[in-house]
Amino acid sequence: MEQPIAAAGLTKTFGDFTAVDGIDLTIEPGESFAMLGPNGAGKSSTMRMVSTVSPITSGSLRIFGMDPHVDGPAIRDRLGVVAQENNLDDELSVVENIILYGRYFGLSWKEARAKATELLGFAQLEDRADARVTSLSGGMKRRLAIARALVNDPDLVLLDEPTTGLDPQARHLLWQRLYELKERGVTLLLTTHYMDEAEQLADRLVVMDHGTIVAQGAPAELIAEHVTREVLEVRYPPEAEIDLESLGLRLESLTDRILIYTDDGEATMTELVNSGRTPSSSLVRRASLEDVFLALTGRRLVE
Amino acid sequence: MIAFLLPWRLVERNVIFYKRNPVVLLSAALEPFIFLFGLGVGLGKIVGDVTWAGEVLTYPEFVAPALVASSAMNGALFEMSYNFYFKLKESGTFEAILFTPLRLSHIYDGELVWAMLRGGIYSIVFVVALWVFGLLASPWAVFIPLVALLVGLAFAGLASWATTYVRHWQDFDLFFLVTQPLFLLSTTFFALDVYPEWCRPIVQATPLYHGVDLTRDLARGTVDVSAFGHLGYLLAMVAITRVLAVRRLAVLLQN
C-alpha cells in the first residue's frame, strides 16, 4: 500500500496566525500514530488538512500518494474521519446515521444496511439502533461517530481528540474499539492531549507545540530520551523554605508540587529525608509523556 | 457513479427525516388553502370584484394563482433558512458529509432539489384544488407548477445565501422583516395599479412580483411576451444565488 500520509514543510495560516508551522510527517501503512499537544498546538488544523477539507497554505501533502487539492473525493473514499465536535445527524436515528453515511459513500441500500448492522455490533449499540441520536450519552455518541466513519472500510482513520470529555469507563471502552481496529491493520492517526491515550494507542507519536513538532518517536523512546525512568513528586507546606537546588537534582516546580526526575525515586527520597528535607507528602511513579512535554516546553498538557 | 445523481443522496436523507415527521409537511401544504379561504373568501366579501388585464375577476380568482407563487416562496424560505442553518451551523451535518466523497456543490444542489421537489408537490396539489374550485380559467394553468418550481428554486437560492451570513437564531427576525413585505406587496393581494406611480418600479424589481404576475397570466390565459422577462429574471436569480451561496459555504466549511 502507498504511504497513507506524507507531509513536508506542511503549513497552515489563518490571516496573521500560523496554526501549523512547516511540519514534516510520514505515516506508514498499519501504523498507529498520535499527535500529542495542548489546545492550539496545531493538531486539529493538521487533521483538517489531511482530511482534505482544509486547503494547505504551503509545503506538500500527499495522502495515499494523491494530492488532496486535486483528488479530494478519491482520497476521502479511503478515509474515515471522526471530528472533534460531535457532528452526527441529529435528525436521523442511530442506524440511519450509518446507513445514510454509507449512501454518501456510494454503497447500495442493501450494502449500507448490512454494514450498519455489523457496525452497530462493533460499537455495542445494537439495542439503540432506532433511538434518536440526541438521546445517547457522550460515550455512545462517540462510538457511533467511529462506527459511522468505518462504513466505507477506510484504510486510514483520523480521530480528533476521540475521548475528550468522556468519563474513564467510556474512554476505556473506546480504547478497546480503537485497539481492535489497530489489530485489523487499519492505519490510525489520532490527536489527543492525554498522554495516557497516546501511550495506550500509539506506536509512534509527535509532540506538538505552537504549530511545530518538538519531539517524535515511540512513547518509551521519548521518555528515555527526554526524562528519567522515575519521577518523585513531593509536596511541602506553603510556608516552608526548602532548598532543593543545592542537591543538584533535576527539578520542575508546579503550582502545587515539585517533580524530581531521578532514576531511583526511593533512593532520592531517602536522600531528602537524610538531609532534613522531609516533604509533607511524596509519591514515586514512572515517568510519562506528560513529563516529556513538561521537560520540552515548561508547560503541562492540560492546564 | 453518474455525477448528477450524487446530490440525490441528500434528497434521500431529507425524505427519510420527513417520513418520520409528516406533520411538518402537512402543515406547510395547508398554508395556501388557509390564505385562500381566510383572505380570498373572507376579505373578498369586502373587496368585491377586481379588474385585472381588462377582465373582471372575483377576489378569489385574483388571489388564488398568486398564492401558488407566494407559497412556493414561503416553502423555500423555510427549508433553506431554519433547516439549512441547523444543518450548517448547529448539528454539523454538512461538515460530516464533506468527509465523504461528496463535494460541497453536491450537498448544496441536493438541498436545492429537495426544497424544489417539496414545494413542487405542494403547488401541484394546490393547483389541482384550484381547478376543482373553478378558480382557473385557462389551459395554460398546467404550467403553473413549473413556475412554482422556478420561484421555489430562486428563493431557495436567495435564502440559503443569506443564511450563510446568519450568526445566531435571532438574526432570522431580520430575515423575515424582508420576506413578509415581499409576500404582502408583490401584487399578491392587490394589482399593480393600486400602488402610486413612483412605487410601481420598486414592486416590479422585486423577485416575487415576477412569479405572481406569471402565474396569474397562466391562470387567466393572458400570457404574452412579458413571460420571457419574468422567466429570465427568475432563472438569473437561481444562477447568481447558487454561485454566491456555494462560494460562501466554502469559506465557512472548507477554511
Side-chain angles (χ1 to χ4, degrees):
Chain A
M1 200 199 287
E2 321 87 314
Q3 228 161 23
I5 301 175
L10 184 62
T11 302
K12 180 75 190 182
T13 59
F14 297 99
D16 294 338
F17 175 69
T18 303
V20 179
D21 196 0
I23 64 169
D24 299 323
L25 198 67
T26 52
I27 297 177
E28 302 298 331
E31 205 172 16
S32 183
F33 195 95
M35 291 191 281
L36 183 70
N39 291 327
K43 309 185 301 288
S44 291
S45 296
T46 305
M47 279 299 217
R48 285 179 53 78
M49 286 190 280
V50 172
S51 70
T52 80
V53 299
S54 170
I56 71 171
T57 306
S58 62
S60 85
L61 178 63
R62 290 290 176 276
I63 315 294
F64 299 116
M66 293 180 278
D67 181 347
H69 183 67
V70 181
D71 299 309
I75 292 170
R76 293 196 295 276
D77 201 34
R78 299 175 61 180
L79 289 188
V81 181
V82 181
Q84 188 178 339
E85 296 285 320
N86 162 32
N87 59 16
L88 295 166
D89 196 328
D90 292 339
E91 296 180 323
L92 301 177
S93 72
V94 169
V95 67
E96 285 165 355
N97 257 279
I98 304 178
I99 295 174
L100 269 294
Y101 216 64
R103 292 289 291 158
Y104 302 146
F105 276 97
L107 269 57
S108 71
W109 283 103
K110 198 176 161 216
E111 289 167 334
R113 280 198 202 95
K115 202 74 206 168
T117 309
E118 175 198 324
L119 290 170
L120 284 179
F122 172 79
Q124 295 172 311
L125 288 168
E126 298 103 321
D127 53 338
R128 306 305 293 264
D130 297 316
R132 288 296 297 264
V133 168
T134 42
S135 73
L136 299 183
S137 70
M140 288 175 174
K141 281 183 185 168
R142 212 58 70 85
R143 285 191 332 255
L144 176 56
I146 293 173
R148 187 180 67 167
L150 300 176
V151 75
N152 57 325
D153 287 321
D155 297 318
L156 169 62
V157 176
L158 310 178
L159 301 128
D160 199 358
E161 299 193 8
T163 65
T164 299
L166 299 187
D167 60 55
Q169 206 185 348
R171 293 180 74 197
H172 280 280
L173 190 53
L174 212 78
W175 285 349
Q176 268 176 30
R177 304 292 87 178
L178 296 179
Y179 196 75
E180 204 178 310
L181 281 183
K182 181 170 138 69
E183 292 293 287
R184 285 191 214 166
V186 176
T187 310
L188 298 179
L189 171 61
L190 64 116
T191 71
T192 182
H193 50 229
Y194 300 120
M195 53 88 192
D196 52 344
E197 188 155 283
E199 280 175 331
Q200 286 271 340
L201 294 171
D203 303 321
R204 211 152 59 88
L205 63 98
V206 289
V207 179
M208 287 186 76
D209 193 35
H210 298 306
T212 59
I213 291 173
V214 291
Q216 56 185 315
E221 276 170 30
L222 283 174
I223 292 168
E225 191 177 329
H226 296 281
V227 288
T228 49
R229 201 169 67 86
E230 291 187 335
V231 177
L232 170 63
E233 296 194 4
V234 292
R235 283 188 167 83
Y236 289 98
E239 66 281 2
E241 282 180 31
I242 303 292
D243 169 33
L244 292 176
E245 310 284 333
S246 60
L247 291 176
L249 296 168
R250 190 173 154 197
L251 305 172
E252 195 75 56
S253 291
L254 305 179
T255 46
D256 58 336
R257 60 192 194 277
I258 298 165
L259 307 185
I260 303 171
Y261 295 105
T262 170
D263 283 321
D264 185 343
E266 289 299 331
T268 308
M269 184 63 195
T270 310
E271 200 185 330
L272 289 183
V273 174
N274 290 345
S275 61
R277 296 176 172 90
T278 310
S280 54
S281 73
S282 67
L283 167 76
V284 177
R285 59 169 174 80
R286 294 186 46 181
S288 71
L289 287 171
E290 177 91 37
D291 300 306
V292 174
F293 188 77
L294 195 63
L296 287 168
T297 68
R299 289 178 299 120
R300 298 170 65 193
L301 276 167
V302 184
E303 294 294 342
Chain B
M1 206 183 313
I2 308 162
F4 73 83
L5 282 179
L6 292 173
W8 193 254
R9 309 267 177 257
L10 269 292
V11 178
E12 287 172 2
R13 179 214 168 269
N14 290 328
V15 170
I16 285 182
F17 169 62
Y18 280 103
K19 240 171 32 189
R20 214 162 347 92
N21 299 276
V23 182
V24 188
L25 288 184
L26 196 69
S27 67
L30 288 175
E31 186 210 276
F33 290 98
I34 292 165
F35 278 110
L36 179 64
F37 286 99
L39 292 172
V41 179
L43 193 63
K45 283 270 194 308
I46 306 168
V47 177
D49 292 345
V50 181
T51 307
W52 189 79
E55 192 188 1
V56 177
L57 306 178
T58 65
Y59 193 61
E61 280 176 330
F62 177 76
V63 172
L67 287 174
V68 184
S70 66
S71 74
M73 173 186 88
N74 283 332
L77 287 181
F78 183 78
E79 189 66 47
M80 296 304 264
S81 58
Y82 290 124
N83 292 354
F84 195 75
Y85 179 77
F86 182 76
K87 290 182 249 189
L88 175 63
K89 297 202 175 160
E90 295 272 310
S91 69
T93 301
F94 292 158
E95 181 200 72
I97 300 174
L98 283 173
F99 293 131
T100 76
L102 296 184
R103 292 174 186 273
L104 197 51
S105 58
H106 297 140
I107 298 176
Y108 184 73
D109 290 343
E111 293 290 285
L112 273 193
V113 167
W114 163 250
M116 191 181 76
L117 282 179
R118 190 183 150 178
I121 293 165
Y122 295 157
S123 61
I124 289 170
V125 171
F126 191 59
V127 167
V128 168
L130 294 184
W131 193 268
V132 172
F133 298 152
L135 293 171
L136 301 172
S138 161
W140 281 101
V142 297
F143 294 112
I144 292 179
L146 289 179
V147 175
L149 284 185
L150 187 58
V151 170
L153 210 48
F155 278 96
L158 190 64
S160 58
W161 176 57
T163 297
T164 62
Y165 289 96
V166 169
R167 296 152 301 173
H168 37 71
W169 291 103
Q170 287 86 335
D171 283 350
F172 281 116
D173 291 345
L174 280 174
F175 208 85
F176 290 98
L177 200 66
V178 176
T179 59
Q180 279 305 319
L182 273 186
F183 172 51
L184 294 170
L185 304 177
S186 300
T187 72
T188 322
F189 297 104
F190 9 85
L192 192 61
D193 52 26
V194 171
Y195 294 91
E197 193 89 46
W198 61 268
C199 193
R200 290 177 200 171
I202 300 172
V203 171
Q204 286 177 299
T206 62
L208 183 59
Y209 165 78
H210 296 274
V212 167
D213 206 54
L214 190 52
T215 48
R216 197 169 274 144
D217 277 334
L218 291 168
R220 307 316 306 174
T222 51
V223 184
D224 58 20
V225 72
S226 73
F228 292 106
H230 296 321
L231 288 173
Y233 183 108
L234 292 169
L235 285 170
M237 188 167 154
V238 173
I240 292 166
T241 54
R242 183 180 181 281
V243 172
L244 293 174
V246 171
R247 194 177 293 167
R248 273 289 298 165
L249 288 172
V251 170
L252 293 176
L253 295 169
Q254 297 177 320
N255 55 13

